[in-house]
Amino acid sequence: MHLVTYGINHTTAPVDVREKLSFDADKLPLALASLMLNESVIEAVIVSTCNRTEIYCHLDEDYDNSVLLWLHNFQQQDANALKSYLYCYEGADAVRHLFRVACGLDSLVLGEPQILGQLKTAYTQALNAKALGKSLGRLFQHAFGVAKQVRTDTAIGNSPVSVAFAAVSLAKQIFSNLAESTALLIGAGETIELVARHLFDNGIKRLIIANRTVEKAHLLATSVNGYAISLSEIPAHLAEADIVISSTASQLPILGKGTVESALKLRKRKPIFMVDIAVPRDIEAEVGQLEDIYLYTVDDLHDIIEENLQSRRDAAKQAEEIIDTQADHFAGWMRSQDAVPVIRAIRDQGQMFSTQAVDKALRQLEQGMNAEMVMTELARTLTNKLLHEPSRQLRQSAFESDENNPMIDAARRLFNIKD
């Protein structure tokens, strides 16, 4: 079994590079189907979030760099331009990496829980695309179990630290009294829901939720006493917002420089604080060049996130120990798979001997032979057939070896023979 992970994340590449390799959720089934056409790919899972794009593969023994070539071709990118940003893990390293990702130890926000849900979504998408089999299926299920154990046995998730929390913390630093501020949130996914709840809990004066699907925005707005609008209505409401936080899956920017300039004029140059959590970005980079606009991307949140992380770092040490143990367990399962063909062959051979012996016994009974004698002969014949070749090999091995014969020791262990 050859497990390989190819990826790019927030530690290896800035947001403008990561967005070039991100996968739109709507196109992910097509991507998986395309990837599975690769002759060396047996199974595949694609994980694409704001902070990472990773491809987990179970590959044929004769695999090469064709998966990386596929990635660049599918995303229409020059392979040489992005080569330095990519990483690759194989075998046990790939297993351990996935476990660390699932537990939030490889996240921008140490220990954040959202990544586990994103991994489960990626798992389901691969399952629906028929890109998931025994090996990766077992690996991801094991990863989910490890993440649950880490959450239960350590304090990794006790501190309220997340990208959403960091964005709200930054807003609180700029607007000391959120009770006098209006926030426009773009999107209605899990991250924006967390942002909305943090702002609501911190006493925000007014919340406007904008989303492509107004019904979904309305559900979220109702829970935080907010107001729901469609994306097309943003220009009409942008001037009302002191705070804009955006996190959608759009492949194109939602807020452009012209729209923001118009809002600033209506606000009479009153500043707007903006946080763009999305990858690809929802807010054009040029917006950050405008006076009275304070634009932060997901990468800019790092310094804020660093605060209040010490307890999570301590818990992370415990989590690493759990991951090491569980990675060893999975590695043992991987090694055990090498024995499966041999076990199957032994069972097939035993079944053949059994069938032959039973057929002979049934014929003897039909001929009127004594049933007890037939059964005794059946047992003797089957025992001899099953043990003949192992006995012969042991005798030959003992004849050819010195006093320390590993095959004899292996036979004792295989048949559980005590001294």
Side-chain angles (χ1 to χ4, degrees):
M1 184 194 308
H2 294 274
L3 294 178
V4 183
T5 301
Y6 302 100
I8 186 171
N9 65 20
H10 63 281
T11 64
T12 66
V15 63
D16 60 323
V17 174
R18 297 200 303 275
E19 63 189 5
K20 292 177 181 177
L21 292 181
S22 66
F23 287 87
D24 182 356
D26 294 335
K27 295 181 180 179
L28 200 55
L30 176 63
L32 284 165
S34 173
L35 178 55
M36 291 302 293
L37 293 176
N38 189 313
E39 291 184 356
S40 65
V41 178
I42 301 173
E43 303 172 64
V45 177
I46 299 176
V47 178
S48 187
T49 72
C50 294
N51 290 323
R52 73 182 62 249
T53 293
E54 293 182 337
I55 302 175
Y56 293 85
C57 295
H58 174 198
L59 299 177
D60 184 80
E61 291 186 4
D62 299 324
Y63 74 93
D64 49 24
N65 290 326
S66 58
V67 173
L68 282 179
L69 181 62
W70 170 86
L71 173 62
H72 289 94
N73 288 341
F74 190 88
Q75 300 289 30
Q76 299 180 334
Q77 298 295 323
D78 178 8
N80 292 326
L82 300 178
K83 185 177 180 180
S84 61
Y85 299 107
L86 290 160
Y87 49 81
C88 174
Y89 297 104
E90 299 184 39
D93 291 333
V95 171
R96 190 172 187 279
H97 176 72
L98 175 59
F99 289 178
R100 296 188 79 255
V101 171
C103 295
L105 300 190
D106 195 59
S107 298
L108 174 63
V109 180
L110 181 64
E112 59 90 9
Q114 284 78 27
I115 185 60
L116 182 58
Q118 291 163 336
L119 285 179
K120 290 182 177 179
T121 298
Y123 171 89
T124 301
Q125 289 169 327
L127 191 64
N128 292 339
K130 301 188 185 308
L132 202 64
K134 179 180 180 180
S135 298
L136 282 187
R138 177 72 173 257
L139 174 61
F140 270 74
Q141 288 293 337
H142 201 134
F144 301 153
V146 173
K148 181 179 180 181
Q149 182 182 355
V150 166
R151 293 278 161 193
T152 302
D153 295 350
T154 76
I156 193 74
N158 288 358
S159 302
V161 181
S162 65
V163 171
F165 184 78
V168 174
S169 296
L170 187 54
K172 288 170 63 178
Q173 291 179 25
I174 295 175
F175 300 94
S176 57
N177 186 7
L178 291 181
E180 299 299 323
S181 303
T182 295
L184 168 63
L185 307 184
I186 305 175
E190 186 175 359
T191 299
I192 287 297
E193 182 178 350
L194 287 171
V195 169
R197 298 199 182 284
H198 284 314
L199 286 171
F200 180 73
D201 291 342
N202 281 276
I204 191 77
K205 178 182 178 182
R206 186 166 175 245
L207 275 171
I208 303 171
I209 313 291
N211 192 53
R212 194 175 308 278
T213 306
V214 180
E215 290 79 6
K216 190 172 182 181
H218 180 70
L219 285 174
L220 175 56
T222 301
S223 67
V224 291
N225 293 335
Y227 175 69
I229 63 173
S230 66
L231 294 184
S232 62
E233 296 178 271
I234 289 177
H237 292 272
L238 184 58
E240 305 170 30
D242 304 299
I243 300 166
V244 176
I245 301 177
S246 186
S247 179
T248 76
S250 175
Q251 294 299 294
L252 296 173
I254 291 173
L255 275 184
K257 186 176 180 181
T259 302
V260 177
E261 283 181 318
S262 298
L264 285 174
K265 289 178 182 178
L266 292 174
R267 289 174 62 83
K268 298 180 180 180
R269 314 310 300 183
K270 185 180 178 183
I272 303 177
F273 164 66
M274 296 183 169
V275 179
D276 188 353
I277 302 175
V279 178
R281 286 170 286 186
D282 287 336
I283 303 173
E284 288 183 348
E286 291 76 12
V287 171
Q289 300 170 4
L290 296 172
E291 291 186 20
D292 304 312
I293 291 294
Y294 300 91
L295 175 61
Y296 294 78
T297 68
V298 65
D299 290 348
D300 297 321
L301 299 179
H302 181 72
D303 290 340
I304 302 155
I305 290 166
E306 279 298 308
E307 300 176 10
N308 300 325
L309 283 180
Q310 189 54 51
S311 63
R312 291 198 175 198
R313 292 190 182 103
D314 293 339
K317 294 177 182 177
Q318 297 175 267
E320 294 283 9
E321 294 176 1
I322 294 172
I323 287 170
D324 286 342
T325 299
Q326 292 299 331
D328 287 342
H329 287 172
F330 190 81
W333 178 81
M334 288 174 60
R335 291 191 298 271
S336 74
Q337 298 311 292
D338 295 336
V340 169
V342 177
I343 294 171
R344 187 178 294 117
I346 291 172
R347 287 186 174 276
D348 289 345
Q349 187 181 66
Q351 184 61 50
M352 180 187 69
F353 291 156
S354 176
T355 300
Q356 292 173 350
V358 169
D359 287 345
K360 181 180 178 181
L362 289 174
R363 288 195 302 270
Q364 290 174 336
L365 288 173
E366 290 174 356
Q367 294 168 1
M369 293 184 63
N370 179 272
E372 184 176 349
M373 292 179 61
V374 170
M375 295 302 294
T376 301
E377 178 62 16
L378 169 65
R380 186 192 68 80
T381 300
L382 189 55
T383 300
N384 286 342
K385 281 185 172 291
L386 288 173
L387 298 181
H388 170 72
E389 189 59 26
S391 300
R392 190 186 71 80
Q393 292 289 348
L394 276 173
R395 283 193 295 268
Q396 185 67 24
S397 174
F399 178 80
E400 295 174 352
S401 66
D402 55 22
E403 293 181 0
N404 298 316
N405 188 341
M407 185 176 286
I408 292 178
D409 292 336
R412 287 183 179 277
R413 184 177 178 187
L414 186 63
F415 289 99
N416 197 26
I417 297 173
K418 306 299 183 182
D419 290 337

